[in-house]
Amino acid sequence: MSDTPAPDLKPSFRSDVTVELVKHSASDTDVLWAARVSTAGEQSLDELSKDPERSRGLINYLMRDRHGSPFEHNSMTFFISAPIFVFREFMRHRVGWSYNEESGRYRELQPVFYVPDADRKLVQQGRPGKYEFVDGTEEQRELTGRAMESSYVQAYEAYQEMLAGGVAREVARAVLPVGLYSSMYATCNARSLMHFLGLRTQHELATVPSFPQREIEMVGQQMEAHWAELMPLTYTAFNKNGRVAP
């Protein structure tokens, strides 16, 4: 089955990412009843009716000594909009994650593309493993925006031409670049999210340095903000113990 392309679709350009917490079953209490079953058995369910603040020390102990499984008994589902290249990097995280992404086989992809804003550092200096990014010149910034936008417009015109000519969506999508925005649901637990944040964000409290690409770090920072509100004691312990997943 082929597509008739939607009329008058014109490319638009963004520099942001969006992360929405669409549902969750996640609280500090989830860590406590999961941990206390080892010594209290079915009585650990009593934790459901207690204030988790009374067990702040237990959560910190579990994090510090890397008793990780109690942090898995919760769930968070995020709806994320970001460039395709972010998702390809994101999906390197497999343990404790589930993904469903919009499909170019089943719908016509919308012409929304990524162009870095003025805060995005453009130039890499140094050798792999020991490099840094710097701002770049105004000429480099102008070149980046102009080259990206021109390439995106040309690619999307080719995509629409193929759809109009009766070419299947799953074939026509091959001309589109990884700067195209996509959307997905991503579901994780606190332990898998902590591992993600330890690798995909830079933070002054991290004991293990990380060097994430800026665009996936933007996603991570928004996910982290949602999680911090849901599980504040766990989040505090994560930061206190060097932002290393237990």
mmCIF file of all heavy atoms in Angstrom, residues 144-187:
data_model
loop_
_atom_site.group_PDB
_atom_site.id
_atom_site.type_symbol
_atom_site.label_atom_id
_atom_site.label_comp_id
_atom_site.label_asym_id
_atom_site.label_seq_id
_atom_site.Cartn_x
_atom_site.Cartn_y
_atom_site.Cartn_z
ATOM 1 N N THR A 144 26.410 25.657 9.698
ATOM 2 C CA THR A 144 25.695 24.502 10.225
ATOM 3 C C THR A 144 24.195 24.640 9.998
ATOM 4 O O THR A 144 23.535 23.717 9.500
ATOM 5 C CB THR A 144 25.984 24.332 11.728
ATOM 6 O OG1 THR A 144 27.384 24.113 11.908
ATOM 7 C CG2 THR A 144 25.199 23.166 12.313
ATOM 8 N N GLY A 145 23.642 25.791 10.354
ATOM 9 C CA GLY A 145 22.211 26.000 10.167
ATOM 10 C C GLY A 145 21.804 25.962 8.715
ATOM 11 O O GLY A 145 20.819 25.311 8.340
ATOM 12 N N ARG A 146 22.578 26.632 7.864
ATOM 13 C CA ARG A 146 22.232 26.689 6.443
ATOM 14 C C ARG A 146 22.340 25.316 5.783
ATOM 15 O O ARG A 146 21.454 24.905 5.024
ATOM 16 C CB ARG A 146 23.161 27.694 5.745
ATOM 17 C CG ARG A 146 23.008 27.735 4.225
ATOM 18 C CD ARG A 146 23.726 28.934 3.641
ATOM 19 N NE ARG A 146 25.084 29.076 4.169
ATOM 20 C CZ ARG A 146 26.144 28.403 3.696
ATOM 21 N NH1 ARG A 146 26.006 27.527 2.718
ATOM 22 N NH2 ARG A 146 27.355 28.620 4.205
ATOM 23 N N ALA A 147 23.414 24.594 6.081
ATOM 24 C CA ALA A 147 23.617 23.287 5.460
ATOM 25 C C ALA A 147 22.559 22.290 5.925
ATOM 26 O O ALA A 147 22.032 21.504 5.121
ATOM 27 C CB ALA A 147 25.016 22.769 5.786
ATOM 28 N N MET A 148 22.248 22.301 7.212
ATOM 29 C CA MET A 148 21.235 21.377 7.723
ATOM 30 C C MET A 148 19.862 21.664 7.108
ATOM 31 O O MET A 148 19.186 20.753 6.618
ATOM 32 C CB MET A 148 21.152 21.480 9.246
ATOM 33 C CG MET A 148 22.259 20.768 9.994
ATOM 34 S SD MET A 148 21.960 20.795 11.784
ATOM 35 C CE MET A 148 23.126 19.552 12.332
ATOM 36 N N GLU A 149 19.454 22.918 7.131
ATOM 37 C CA GLU A 149 18.124 23.251 6.626
ATOM 38 C C GLU A 149 18.000 22.934 5.144
ATOM 39 O O GLU A 149 16.985 22.389 4.687
ATOM 40 C CB GLU A 149 17.812 24.719 6.906
ATOM 41 C CG GLU A 149 17.640 25.017 8.393
ATOM 42 C CD GLU A 149 17.227 26.447 8.673
ATOM 43 O OE1 GLU A 149 16.827 27.148 7.703
ATOM 44 O OE2 GLU A 149 17.303 26.878 9.843
ATOM 45 N N SER A 150 19.023 23.240 4.389
ATOM 46 C CA SER A 150 18.996 22.943 2.950
ATOM 47 C C SER A 150 18.896 21.444 2.693
ATOM 48 O O SER A 150 18.124 20.976 1.859
ATOM 49 C CB SER A 150 20.250 23.517 2.286
ATOM 50 O OG SER A 150 20.315 23.143 0.921
ATOM 51 N N SER A 151 19.681 20.676 3.437
ATOM 52 C CA SER A 151 19.659 19.229 3.276
ATOM 53 C C SER A 151 18.304 18.647 3.665
ATOM 54 O O SER A 151 17.767 17.761 2.973
ATOM 55 C CB SER A 151 20.761 18.606 4.145
ATOM 56 O OG SER A 151 20.718 17.199 4.110
ATOM 57 N N TYR A 152 17.730 19.147 4.752
ATOM 58 C CA TYR A 152 16.439 18.651 5.210
ATOM 59 C C TYR A 152 15.346 18.924 4.167
ATOM 60 O O TYR A 152 14.521 18.054 3.882
ATOM 61 C CB TYR A 152 16.044 19.317 6.527
ATOM 62 C CG TYR A 152 16.894 18.962 7.720
ATOM 63 C CD1 TYR A 152 17.058 19.867 8.772
ATOM 64 C CD2 TYR A 152 17.524 17.721 7.826
ATOM 65 C CE1 TYR A 152 17.818 19.550 9.890
ATOM 66 C CE2 TYR A 152 18.293 17.399 8.949
ATOM 67 C CZ TYR A 152 18.428 18.323 9.972
ATOM 68 O OH TYR A 152 19.188 18.005 11.077
ATOM 69 N N VAL A 153 15.332 20.141 3.630
ATOM 70 C CA VAL A 153 14.309 20.508 2.646
ATOM 71 C C VAL A 153 14.414 19.612 1.416
ATOM 72 O O VAL A 153 13.410 19.083 0.916
ATOM 73 C CB VAL A 153 14.437 21.990 2.255
ATOM 74 C CG1 VAL A 153 13.569 22.310 1.039
ATOM 75 C CG2 VAL A 153 14.053 22.888 3.433
ATOM 76 N N GLN A 154 15.625 19.407 0.944
ATOM 77 C CA GLN A 154 15.824 18.566 -0.233
ATOM 78 C C GLN A 154 15.393 17.125 0.041
ATOM 79 O O GLN A 154 14.737 16.484 -0.781
ATOM 80 C CB GLN A 154 17.291 18.601 -0.659
ATOM 81 C CG GLN A 154 17.590 17.803 -1.913
ATOM 82 C CD GLN A 154 19.051 17.888 -2.314
ATOM 83 O OE1 GLN A 154 19.885 18.401 -1.568
ATOM 84 N NE2 GLN A 154 19.366 17.392 -3.495
ATOM 85 N N ALA A 155 15.749 16.611 1.210
ATOM 86 C CA ALA A 155 15.402 15.230 1.548
ATOM 87 C C ALA A 155 13.892 15.055 1.648
ATOM 88 O O ALA A 155 13.337 14.055 1.164
ATOM 89 C CB ALA A 155 16.077 14.824 2.855
ATOM 90 N N TYR A 156 13.206 16.022 2.275
ATOM 91 C CA TYR A 156 11.768 15.857 2.443
ATOM 92 C C TYR A 156 11.027 16.013 1.119
ATOM 93 O O TYR A 156 10.012 15.344 0.879
ATOM 94 C CB TYR A 156 11.214 16.832 3.483
ATOM 95 C CG TYR A 156 9.885 16.375 4.028
ATOM 96 C CD1 TYR A 156 9.823 15.332 4.951
ATOM 97 C CD2 TYR A 156 8.696 16.930 3.587
ATOM 98 C CE1 TYR A 156 8.608 14.870 5.429
ATOM 99 C CE2 TYR A 156 7.469 16.482 4.065
ATOM 100 C CZ TYR A 156 7.432 15.444 4.980
ATOM 101 O OH TYR A 156 6.220 14.981 5.444
ATOM 102 N N GLU A 157 11.543 16.872 0.242
ATOM 103 C CA GLU A 157 10.946 16.977 -1.091
ATOM 104 C C GLU A 157 11.072 15.661 -1.850
ATOM 105 O O GLU A 157 10.127 15.226 -2.533
ATOM 106 C CB GLU A 157 11.609 18.113 -1.877
ATOM 107 C CG GLU A 157 11.202 19.500 -1.392
ATOM 108 C CD GLU A 157 11.940 20.611 -2.125
ATOM 109 O OE1 GLU A 157 12.890 20.299 -2.885
ATOM 110 O OE2 GLU A 157 11.574 21.794 -1.940
ATOM 111 N N ALA A 158 12.215 15.017 -1.723
ATOM 112 C CA ALA A 158 12.401 13.718 -2.375
ATOM 113 C C ALA A 158 11.449 12.679 -1.779
ATOM 114 O O ALA A 158 10.877 11.852 -2.503
ATOM 115 C CB ALA A 158 13.844 13.263 -2.230
ATOM 116 N N TYR A 159 11.281 12.719 -0.485
ATOM 117 C CA TYR A 159 10.366 11.795 0.206
ATOM 118 C C TYR A 159 8.941 11.973 -0.302
ATOM 119 O O TYR A 159 8.258 10.995 -0.664
ATOM 120 C CB TYR A 159 10.462 12.075 1.707
ATOM 121 C CG TYR A 159 9.510 11.322 2.598
ATOM 122 C CD1 TYR A 159 9.597 9.933 2.755
ATOM 123 C CD2 TYR A 159 8.542 12.005 3.338
ATOM 124 C CE1 TYR A 159 8.742 9.252 3.607
ATOM 125 C CE2 TYR A 159 7.687 11.337 4.198
ATOM 126 C CZ TYR A 159 7.788 9.956 4.327
ATOM 127 O OH TYR A 159 6.943 9.285 5.181
ATOM 128 N N GLN A 160 8.479 13.217 -0.374
ATOM 129 C CA GLN A 160 7.125 13.466 -0.850
ATOM 130 C C GLN A 160 6.959 13.095 -2.326
ATOM 131 O O GLN A 160 5.911 12.594 -2.741
ATOM 132 C CB GLN A 160 6.753 14.926 -0.629
ATOM 133 C CG GLN A 160 6.497 15.278 0.832
ATOM 134 C CD GLN A 160 5.699 16.548 0.977
ATOM 135 O OE1 GLN A 160 6.115 17.587 0.479
ATOM 136 N NE2 GLN A 160 4.565 16.467 1.650
ATOM 137 N N GLU A 161 7.995 13.342 -3.113
ATOM 138 C CA GLU A 161 7.933 12.973 -4.528
ATOM 139 C C GLU A 161 7.773 11.457 -4.694
ATOM 140 O O GLU A 161 6.989 10.987 -5.519
ATOM 141 C CB GLU A 161 9.188 13.446 -5.247
ATOM 142 C CG GLU A 161 9.192 13.149 -6.741
ATOM 143 C CD GLU A 161 10.458 13.605 -7.431
ATOM 144 O OE1 GLU A 161 11.365 14.116 -6.755
ATOM 145 O OE2 GLU A 161 10.544 13.446 -8.664
ATOM 146 N N MET A 162 8.486 10.700 -3.886
ATOM 147 C CA MET A 162 8.381 9.248 -3.962
ATOM 148 C C MET A 162 7.001 8.766 -3.519
ATOM 149 O O MET A 162 6.403 7.882 -4.147
ATOM 150 C CB MET A 162 9.483 8.604 -3.114
ATOM 151 C CG MET A 162 10.877 8.868 -3.653
ATOM 152 S SD MET A 162 12.183 8.343 -2.511
ATOM 153 C CE MET A 162 12.100 6.565 -2.693
ATOM 154 N N LEU A 163 6.473 9.343 -2.442
ATOM 155 C CA LEU A 163 5.135 8.962 -2.003
ATOM 156 C C LEU A 163 4.101 9.288 -3.071
ATOM 157 O O LEU A 163 3.207 8.476 -3.357
ATOM 158 C CB LEU A 163 4.775 9.679 -0.696
ATOM 159 C CG LEU A 163 5.575 9.301 0.559
ATOM 160 C CD1 LEU A 163 5.067 10.105 1.754
ATOM 161 C CD2 LEU A 163 5.505 7.816 0.852
ATOM 162 N N ALA A 164 4.212 10.472 -3.669
ATOM 163 C CA ALA A 164 3.272 10.869 -4.718
ATOM 164 C C ALA A 164 3.374 9.961 -5.937
ATOM 165 O O ALA A 164 2.389 9.763 -6.670
ATOM 166 C CB ALA A 164 3.520 12.322 -5.127
ATOM 167 N N GLY A 165 4.551 9.388 -6.158
ATOM 168 C CA GLY A 165 4.753 8.480 -7.282
ATOM 169 C C GLY A 165 4.350 7.052 -6.991
ATOM 170 O O GLY A 165 4.568 6.163 -7.825
ATOM 171 N N GLY A 166 3.768 6.813 -5.809
ATOM 172 C CA GLY A 166 3.282 5.488 -5.486
ATOM 173 C C GLY A 166 4.269 4.590 -4.780
ATOM 174 O O GLY A 166 3.996 3.401 -4.575
ATOM 175 N N VAL A 167 5.418 5.128 -4.382
ATOM 176 C CA VAL A 167 6.412 4.325 -3.670
ATOM 177 C C VAL A 167 5.957 4.118 -2.223
ATOM 178 O O VAL A 167 5.457 5.041 -1.578
ATOM 179 C CB VAL A 167 7.791 5.022 -3.712
ATOM 180 C CG1 VAL A 167 8.819 4.239 -2.908
ATOM 181 C CG2 VAL A 167 8.254 5.184 -5.158
ATOM 182 N N ALA A 168 6.138 2.921 -1.712
ATOM 183 C CA ALA A 168 5.689 2.593 -0.350
ATOM 184 C C ALA A 168 6.416 3.440 0.683
ATOM 185 O O ALA A 168 7.586 3.793 0.519
ATOM 186 C CB ALA A 168 5.931 1.111 -0.069
ATOM 187 N N ARG A 169 5.719 3.726 1.771
ATOM 188 C CA ARG A 169 6.309 4.515 2.850
ATOM 189 C C ARG A 169 7.617 3.913 3.359
ATOM 190 O O ARG A 169 8.575 4.622 3.652
ATOM 191 C CB ARG A 169 5.308 4.630 4.013
ATOM 192 C CG ARG A 169 4.081 5.465 3.731
ATOM 193 C CD ARG A 169 3.169 5.503 4.949
ATOM 194 N NE ARG A 169 2.605 4.206 5.251
ATOM 195 C CZ ARG A 169 1.378 3.814 4.921
ATOM 196 N NH1 ARG A 169 0.594 4.642 4.259
ATOM 197 N NH2 ARG A 169 0.938 2.614 5.250
ATOM 198 N N GLU A 170 7.643 2.583 3.501
ATOM 199 C CA GLU A 170 8.818 1.949 4.091
ATOM 200 C C GLU A 170 10.037 2.050 3.187
ATOM 201 O O GLU A 170 11.165 1.914 3.665
ATOM 202 C CB GLU A 170 8.533 0.486 4.428
ATOM 203 C CG GLU A 170 8.268 -0.405 3.228
ATOM 204 C CD GLU A 170 7.972 -1.834 3.648
ATOM 205 O OE1 GLU A 170 7.136 -2.049 4.555
ATOM 206 O OE2 GLU A 170 8.588 -2.726 3.064
ATOM 207 N N VAL A 171 9.818 2.296 1.900
ATOM 208 C CA VAL A 171 10.926 2.511 0.972
ATOM 209 C C VAL A 171 11.287 3.989 0.921
ATOM 210 O O VAL A 171 12.463 4.367 1.015
ATOM 211 C CB VAL A 171 10.573 1.995 -0.437
ATOM 212 C CG1 VAL A 171 11.707 2.296 -1.423
ATOM 213 C CG2 VAL A 171 10.279 0.504 -0.404
ATOM 214 N N ALA A 172 10.296 4.851 0.807
ATOM 215 C CA ALA A 172 10.535 6.284 0.654
ATOM 216 C C ALA A 172 11.240 6.885 1.861
ATOM 217 O O ALA A 172 12.038 7.821 1.725
ATOM 218 C CB ALA A 172 9.207 7.010 0.416
ATOM 219 N N ARG A 173 11.003 6.350 3.046
ATOM 220 C CA ARG A 173 11.605 6.911 4.259
ATOM 221 C C ARG A 173 13.125 6.828 4.253
ATOM 222 O O ARG A 173 13.788 7.506 5.035
ATOM 223 C CB ARG A 173 11.068 6.208 5.501
ATOM 224 C CG ARG A 173 11.443 4.730 5.591
ATOM 225 C CD ARG A 173 10.946 4.088 6.854
ATOM 226 N NE ARG A 173 11.212 2.652 6.874
ATOM 227 C CZ ARG A 173 11.055 1.876 7.932
ATOM 228 N NH1 ARG A 173 10.636 2.406 9.074
ATOM 229 N NH2 ARG A 173 11.289 0.591 7.875
ATOM 230 N N ALA A 174 13.688 5.987 3.407
ATOM 231 C CA ALA A 174 15.142 5.809 3.395
ATOM 232 C C ALA A 174 15.886 7.080 3.027
ATOM 233 O O ALA A 174 17.080 7.204 3.336
ATOM 234 C CB ALA A 174 15.524 4.683 2.423
ATOM 235 N N VAL A 175 15.227 8.045 2.398
ATOM 236 C CA VAL A 175 15.918 9.278 2.015
ATOM 237 C C VAL A 175 15.966 10.288 3.156
ATOM 238 O O VAL A 175 16.646 11.311 3.053
ATOM 239 C CB VAL A 175 15.254 9.941 0.785
ATOM 240 C CG1 VAL A 175 15.245 8.988 -0.397
ATOM 241 C CG2 VAL A 175 13.837 10.436 1.104
ATOM 242 N N LEU A 176 15.270 10.031 4.255
ATOM 243 C CA LEU A 176 15.186 11.012 5.345
ATOM 244 C C LEU A 176 16.378 10.897 6.292
ATOM 245 O O LEU A 176 16.839 9.799 6.586
ATOM 246 C CB LEU A 176 13.876 10.831 6.112
ATOM 247 C CG LEU A 176 12.615 11.119 5.290
ATOM 248 C CD1 LEU A 176 11.369 10.744 6.080
ATOM 249 C CD2 LEU A 176 12.556 12.587 4.864
ATOM 250 N N PRO A 177 16.858 12.016 6.820
ATOM 251 C CA PRO A 177 18.059 12.021 7.667
ATOM 252 C C PRO A 177 17.745 11.752 9.125
ATOM 253 O O PRO A 177 16.587 11.800 9.570
ATOM 254 C CB PRO A 177 18.583 13.448 7.486
ATOM 255 C CG PRO A 177 17.335 14.261 7.277
ATOM 256 C CD PRO A 177 16.401 13.380 6.498
ATOM 257 N N VAL A 178 18.801 11.476 9.899
ATOM 258 C CA VAL A 178 18.626 11.181 11.329
ATOM 259 C C VAL A 178 18.320 12.432 12.144
ATOM 260 O O VAL A 178 18.020 12.329 13.335
ATOM 261 C CB VAL A 178 19.860 10.460 11.906
ATOM 262 C CG1 VAL A 178 20.024 9.100 11.282
ATOM 263 C CG2 VAL A 178 21.131 11.293 11.745
ATOM 264 N N GLY A 179 18.360 13.610 11.534
ATOM 265 C CA GLY A 179 17.944 14.823 12.220
ATOM 266 C C GLY A 179 16.438 14.999 12.261
ATOM 267 O O GLY A 179 15.941 15.948 12.872
ATOM 268 N N LEU A 180 15.690 14.087 11.629
ATOM 269 C CA LEU A 180 14.229 14.111 11.689
ATOM 270 C C LEU A 180 13.757 13.792 13.100
ATOM 271 O O LEU A 180 14.295 12.897 13.755
ATOM 272 C CB LEU A 180 13.665 13.074 10.710
ATOM 273 C CG LEU A 180 12.143 12.967 10.629
ATOM 274 C CD1 LEU A 180 11.577 14.116 9.809
ATOM 275 C CD2 LEU A 180 11.736 11.625 10.003
ATOM 276 N N TYR A 181 12.735 14.512 13.568
ATOM 277 C CA TYR A 181 12.175 14.218 14.882
ATOM 278 C C TYR A 181 11.294 12.977 14.823
ATOM 279 O O TYR A 181 10.547 12.757 13.866
ATOM 280 C CB TYR A 181 11.350 15.395 15.408
ATOM 281 C CG TYR A 181 12.176 16.403 16.158
ATOM 282 C CD1 TYR A 181 13.038 17.260 15.475
ATOM 283 C CD2 TYR A 181 12.131 16.498 17.544
ATOM 284 C CE1 TYR A 181 13.816 18.180 16.153
ATOM 285 C CE2 TYR A 181 12.900 17.421 18.235
ATOM 286 C CZ TYR A 181 13.743 18.252 17.531
ATOM 287 O OH TYR A 181 14.528 19.156 18.216
ATOM 288 N N SER A 182 11.405 12.168 15.867
ATOM 289 C CA SER A 182 10.555 11.014 16.052
ATOM 290 C C SER A 182 9.986 11.077 17.462
ATOM 291 O O SER A 182 10.335 11.961 18.246
ATOM 292 C CB SER A 182 11.362 9.722 15.832
ATOM 293 O OG SER A 182 10.524 8.582 15.877
ATOM 294 N N SER A 183 9.101 10.140 17.790
ATOM 295 C CA SER A 183 8.544 10.091 19.138
ATOM 296 C C SER A 183 8.457 8.640 19.581
ATOM 297 O O SER A 183 8.310 7.724 18.765
ATOM 298 C CB SER A 183 7.159 10.742 19.190
ATOM 299 O OG SER A 183 6.261 10.103 18.300
ATOM 300 N N MET A 184 8.572 8.435 20.878
ATOM 301 C CA MET A 184 8.496 7.076 21.406
ATOM 302 C C MET A 184 8.050 7.090 22.858
ATOM 303 O O MET A 184 8.164 8.097 23.563
ATOM 304 C CB MET A 184 9.845 6.368 21.300
ATOM 305 C CG MET A 184 10.915 6.834 22.277
ATOM 306 S SD MET A 184 12.369 5.749 22.236
ATOM 307 C CE MET A 184 13.422 6.566 23.454
ATOM 308 N N TYR A 185 7.511 5.936 23.268
ATOM 309 C CA TYR A 185 7.321 5.650 24.670
ATOM 310 C C TYR A 185 8.533 4.869 25.161
ATOM 311 O O TYR A 185 9.002 3.938 24.500
ATOM 312 C CB TYR A 185 6.061 4.813 24.903
ATOM 313 C CG TYR A 185 4.779 5.562 24.655
ATOM 314 C CD1 TYR A 185 4.021 5.325 23.504
ATOM 315 C CD2 TYR A 185 4.317 6.496 25.578
ATOM 316 C CE1 TYR A 185 2.836 6.016 23.281
ATOM 317 C CE2 TYR A 185 3.137 7.190 25.349
ATOM 318 C CZ TYR A 185 2.397 6.945 24.200
ATOM 319 O OH TYR A 185 1.241 7.636 23.985
ATOM 320 N N ALA A 186 9.035 5.239 26.324
ATOM 321 C CA ALA A 186 10.145 4.531 26.962
ATOM 322 C C ALA A 186 9.750 4.244 28.400
ATOM 323 O O ALA A 186 9.393 5.165 29.150
ATOM 324 C CB ALA A 186 11.420 5.361 26.916
ATOM 325 N N THR A 187 9.779 2.966 28.772
ATOM 326 C CA THR A 187 9.411 2.553 30.119
ATOM 327 C C THR A 187 10.616 1.953 30.825
ATOM 328 O O THR A 187 11.362 1.163 30.226
ATOM 329 C CB THR A 187 8.268 1.518 30.076
ATOM 330 O OG1 THR A 187 7.116 2.113 29.466
ATOM 331 C CG2 THR A 187 7.894 1.066 31.482
#
